[in-house]
Amino acid sequence: MPYKYIGRTTDFKGKTLWEIVGNLKNFGVGRIVARNRMERYPEPCYMKILKVETLPNPEVVTLDNLRKVRVWVERTFRGKTDPQPVVIESASYKADYKLIPKDEEEDYCRIVRKLEGGILPKTIEFPPILKELILRDAGAKEGTTEEPRLELVYNRKSLRNRYRIAEDGEQPTVNFTMGLGKPVSPSLYEGIKLDQ
Amino acid sequence: MSAVDVDIFVNSTTDNSYIDENLDLVHKLRLSADTGNTLPSTSHALIRMLIQCENKDDLLNSLDDRLNYGLFLDFHVANLLLDTYWKRKDFTSGARTASQLMLQEEFNHPLSNSLSLLHCYNYLLQPDGWPEYPKPEEPEEEVKVRVKYLRNFYDDDHFDLRDPKKIVGKTLAMFTKGKDDVISKSLNILGLALYDKKDLVEKAVSECATEGTVLYKEIIELVPPENENIKKLKTESADVNSMLISNVIKAVQETSENDIAQQCEIYLKWETDRVNALEEQKKRLLTAKRLSDIEDIKTIIKEKETKLWFFNNEEEIERAIEAKRVYYPKRWFGKKKKPKKIDEGYIPPEVSQSSTKY
């Protein structure tokens, strides 16, 4: 009958850093290591080992007390590399790391540039009552096909990443409506005619 | 425990009688903090000593156990090992050495590549002698151990491989990856099939089928029978062994002179490195010793000072003695009053309007 270990569960999946680094010649300097926990993000997260300093083996090795190692890495988190190298020591006992083979390195680290978030519209319809008022005021010029449009003001800083505002004559990919739009839980709106 | 000292010891004991001590020392070094400074000449010298004393088991087991011994193959030693095993026709050991090269993902040297392929192929013709990995000892009854966090089972397909078929398969596949000649392609398919990667096998097989390459029958025969799509391939027979050997000879002719010159340079470099490392260590130890000596002198002088300046500092010393007195907060020794015990049989009196006499 084997040893039966009783304790809290973790969702770590992998090996400790020492087990990876100690199995490699020259302690794996220049190899790429990734953490299983960081795989939840769509962008690649990995760490490139720059320098390794070994720490002594603990006197009593138990499942709680594993060997740690001090590793300087160049960390890339969600596609963005940190400018300065980072030390990993206190997290090196976590059995969460995996080594990426040399032939798969390029594949793993490729940042797939997501398509542009979209083009946002420059103008939008006026709210219904205001529209009526404006049309009434400009009532003399009936029959104009060009109805007045409200120019939208965006928070420029938040647009920097993925979206941009449409130029004149460009078709926006994202559409803003004056109506309620598509409800998140349509069951609440059964029987009601929504003006989308 | 210093890496330089271990290196000097291993390099200077060329006698076979010191094997156990060497292995023990290297093991102890691996468990200490100075492993990061191990010189490459340590493992080189130790492996060559083990070859010399023909201790196959020790050598291969300690090569396998990298976490505990830290012996790594550089190309020179790898070629040496593969060559000795070839001369002794010991293909199992050759395959094991080749697997070590595969684990470190070092496929640069053409001689090592060709020798490894040779050994792996010959091992597969007669697969036996691969030792079983010893299972860790377990007590008979179930022993419950309390740990803070459980560790989940994880098998990375690389360092954790234990099945000889898979190991040799992966070695073959990785050594022949990307190469275009017929023998490499056939060995690639064989390797992938042994390594159990059915989809990669199918991909390679369909590639070969579309290109119409003719593979070697001897190699394809070794593929385990579960892979049926192999039959689609056209095969011709050829003397694979002699082709592999001719590859080795070609590689030798290409690289031997260069290798020899490089290795001589490397030996000289290691010697200078060792001397430098020893000098640095001496300096470090000297400075540490000087600092500790200075600390000792400081304590002695301080004691002398207190003795000589006693009467000047008498008042301060008395003040210091007074300051050592510990003031404890006042404690209360009174008795705690117990709450009134309610008699359970107590019936409160009835109070009614009429009972008042006033």
Side-chain angles (χ1 to χ4, degrees):
Chain A
M1 278 265 105
Y3 286 109
K4 184 157 181 224
Y5 294 107
I6 301 175
R8 285 182 64 177
T9 50
T10 53
D11 59 353
F12 289 151
K13 213 176 82 155
K15 292 166 107 60
T16 65
L17 252 190
W18 167 248
E19 281 172 22
I20 294 180
V21 141
N23 265 321
L24 290 171
K25 192 165 159 177
N26 199 16
F27 297 107
V29 169
R31 298 296 296 267
I32 297 194
V33 156
R35 265 198 78 161
N36 183 273
R37 193 94 177 100
M38 307 296 176
E39 303 213 323
R40 54 214 306 259
Y41 303 111
E43 300 93 345
C45 305
Y46 52 90
M47 295 170 277
K48 181 163 159 177
I49 300 181
L50 300 173
K51 183 177 151 189
V52 174
E53 242 181 52
T54 46
L55 294 171
N57 209 19
E59 289 183 4
V60 180
V61 181
T62 55
L63 264 188
D64 292 331
N65 197 3
L66 295 167
R67 186 167 182 177
K68 292 191 194 168
V69 62
R70 199 177 296 149
V71 181
W72 277 262
V73 294
E74 186 187 57
R75 183 168 59 185
T76 306
F77 182 65
R78 293 190 73 175
K80 297 208 176 77
T81 28
D82 298 339
Q84 298 283 351
V86 175
V87 178
I88 298 181
E89 184 189 336
S90 50
S92 55
Y93 73 92
K94 296 189 184 177
D96 203 26
Y97 297 91
K98 72 169 190 217
L99 181 68
I100 298 179
K102 284 188 190 159
D103 31 351
E104 287 171 32
E105 265 177 22
E106 214 194 294
D107 245 346
Y108 194 87
C109 305
R110 195 178 309 139
I111 305 170
V112 177
R113 188 102 284 173
K114 247 171 51 170
L115 296 168
E116 292 275 305
I119 307 173
L120 298 169
K122 194 168 174 190
T123 58
I124 194 178
E125 276 185 2
F126 269 101
I129 294 183
L130 190 55
K131 194 186 225 173
E132 296 286 314
L133 284 174
I134 291 177
L135 282 178
R136 208 204 299 162
D137 284 342
K141 307 177 194 127
E142 264 302 346
T144 47
T145 45
E146 196 179 305
E147 56 177 47
R149 302 273 294 184
L150 177 65
E151 189 160 319
L152 286 172
V153 176
Y154 290 101
N155 181 1
R156 293 270 166 171
K157 279 197 183 155
S158 70
L159 288 187
R160 220 189 291 152
N161 277 335
R162 303 277 163 84
Y163 292 88
R164 62 182 177 84
I165 311 175
E167 306 292 315
D168 283 327
E170 217 181 346
Q171 272 294 2
T173 48
V174 182
N175 208 7
F176 293 137
T177 53
M178 208 26 90
L180 279 176
K182 197 166 180 317
V184 172
S185 39
S187 54
L188 295 174
Y189 291 81
E190 260 170 44
I192 299 173
K193 205 172 90 177
L194 286 169
D195 181 28
Q196 289 184 339
Chain B
M1 189 92 258
S2 110
V4 190
D5 294 338
V6 171
D7 184 45
I8 293 176
F9 182 73
V10 169
N11 272 295
S12 45
T13 54
T14 45
D15 200 18
N16 289 353
S17 51
Y18 287 105
I19 296 280
D20 290 327
E21 278 127 3
N22 274 333
L23 280 172
D24 193 41
L25 257 186
V26 165
H27 179 58
K28 287 214 176 82
L29 175 64
R30 193 70 172 163
L31 298 179
S32 73
D34 214 15
T35 328
N37 304 332
T38 341
L39 299 161
S41 42
T42 321
S43 67
H44 186 99
L46 189 56
I47 296 175
R48 285 187 76 164
M49 203 199 305
L50 283 165
I51 297 176
Q52 198 187 7
C53 79
E54 306 205 4
N55 198 342
K56 187 179 78 164
D57 287 324
D58 265 345
L59 173 61
L60 290 169
N61 286 339
S62 35
L63 269 186
D64 249 341
D65 200 357
R66 293 160 300 269
L67 282 179
N68 274 328
Y69 287 98
L71 300 174
F72 295 107
L73 300 166
D74 52 1
F75 288 118
H76 184 77
V77 164
N79 294 338
L80 194 62
L81 267 177
L82 289 167
D83 183 52
T84 9
Y85 291 138
W86 166 253
K87 291 198 176 104
R88 290 186 214 156
K89 305 283 175 198
D90 187 357
F91 301 119
T92 330
S93 315
R96 285 178 79 181
T97 328
S99 64
Q100 291 301 315
L101 279 178
M102 175 274 290
L103 287 177
Q104 301 296 325
E105 298 190 56
E106 294 183 326
F107 307 123
N108 297 336
H109 206 258
L111 181 54
S112 304
N113 288 6
S114 34
L115 274 169
S116 324
L117 289 177
L118 184 63
H119 273 280
C120 288
Y121 175 68
N122 280 308
Y123 165 74
L124 285 172
L125 291 177
Q126 262 185 329
D128 71 324
W130 198 290
E132 263 188 34
Y133 289 93
K135 287 204 185 132
E137 280 171 27
E138 292 161 357
E140 277 193 10
E141 293 178 1
E142 193 178 85
V143 172
K144 296 191 182 172
V145 179
R146 176 84 171 89
V147 286
K148 276 196 209 151
Y149 293 99
L150 291 175
R151 186 165 170 179
N152 302 325
F153 175 72
Y154 179 71
D155 176 20
D156 74 335
D157 246 343
H158 196 63
F159 294 120
D160 282 338
L161 285 169
R162 297 282 177 257
D163 184 18
K165 253 184 19 179
K166 284 198 175 167
I167 297 178
V168 173
K170 189 164 184 184
T171 319
L172 277 174
M174 291 189 89
F175 269 112
T176 51
K177 189 165 176 162
K179 304 234 170 85
D180 272 337
D181 54 315
V182 183
I183 201 167
S184 299
K185 279 197 178 158
S186 5
L187 283 172
N188 197 10
I189 292 182
L190 174 61
L192 288 170
L194 284 171
Y195 185 33
D196 239 351
K197 296 271 172 195
K198 302 235 163 77
D199 40 341
L200 286 172
V201 174
E202 278 195 32
K203 207 169 105 178
V205 164
S206 54
E207 255 184 47
C208 284
T210 47
E211 287 172 23
T213 43
V214 179
L215 304 172
Y216 292 131
K217 191 163 66 151
E218 279 84 6
I219 298 182
I220 303 297
E221 272 170 9
L222 289 170
V223 173
E226 295 109 40
N227 301 306
E228 290 186 349
N229 44 8
I230 300 288
K231 300 195 183 127
K232 285 191 249 163
L233 294 166
K234 291 184 262 184
T235 54
E236 67 177 8
S237 70
D239 191 1
V240 184
N241 237 333
S242 65
M243 291 185 75
L244 289 170
I245 293 176
S246 63
N247 274 345
V248 172
I249 297 176
K250 228 189 336 178
V252 165
Q253 282 165 348
E254 278 176 37
T255 57
S256 56
E257 287 176 21
N258 228 346
D259 270 354
I260 295 171
Q262 259 185 359
Q263 197 60 32
C264 292
E265 277 178 25
I266 288 177
Y267 282 141
L268 291 172
K269 182 166 163 287
W270 279 350
E271 274 177 38
T272 47
D273 278 346
R274 204 176 302 144
V275 167
N276 289 344
L278 194 60
E279 293 288 327
E280 267 177 60
Q281 193 185 295
K282 227 193 318 189
K283 244 193 276 178
R284 256 185 291 134
L285 289 174
L286 256 174
T287 40
K289 187 162 183 302
R290 276 170 67 190
L291 277 171
S292 69
D293 282 343
I294 291 173
E295 293 293 329
D296 286 337
I297 296 174
K298 266 170 129 180
T299 46
I300 293 173
I301 291 180
K302 224 175 174 182
E303 233 205 273
K304 263 194 186 170
E305 193 191 328
T306 53
K307 281 193 193 157
L308 291 173
W309 288 77
F310 173 72
F311 291 103
N312 281 33
N313 302 338
E314 208 175 334
E315 288 154 9
E316 271 137 31
I317 292 175
E318 275 178 19
R319 240 179 269 153
I321 294 172
E322 275 295 311
K324 280 193 204 164
R325 185 174 165 197
V326 179
Y327 285 94
Y328 294 104
K330 274 200 188 304
R331 289 160 71 191
W332 177 65
F333 290 107
K335 280 195 197 154
K336 283 192 200 151
K337 285 193 193 156
K338 291 193 196 129
K340 279 195 190 148
K341 249 204 191 144
I342 305 171
D343 183 15
E344 294 219 350
Y346 173 67
I347 304 165
E350 280 178 13
V351 176
S352 58
Q353 286 281 2
S354 55
S355 63
T356 52
K357 287 183 182 160
Y358 295 91

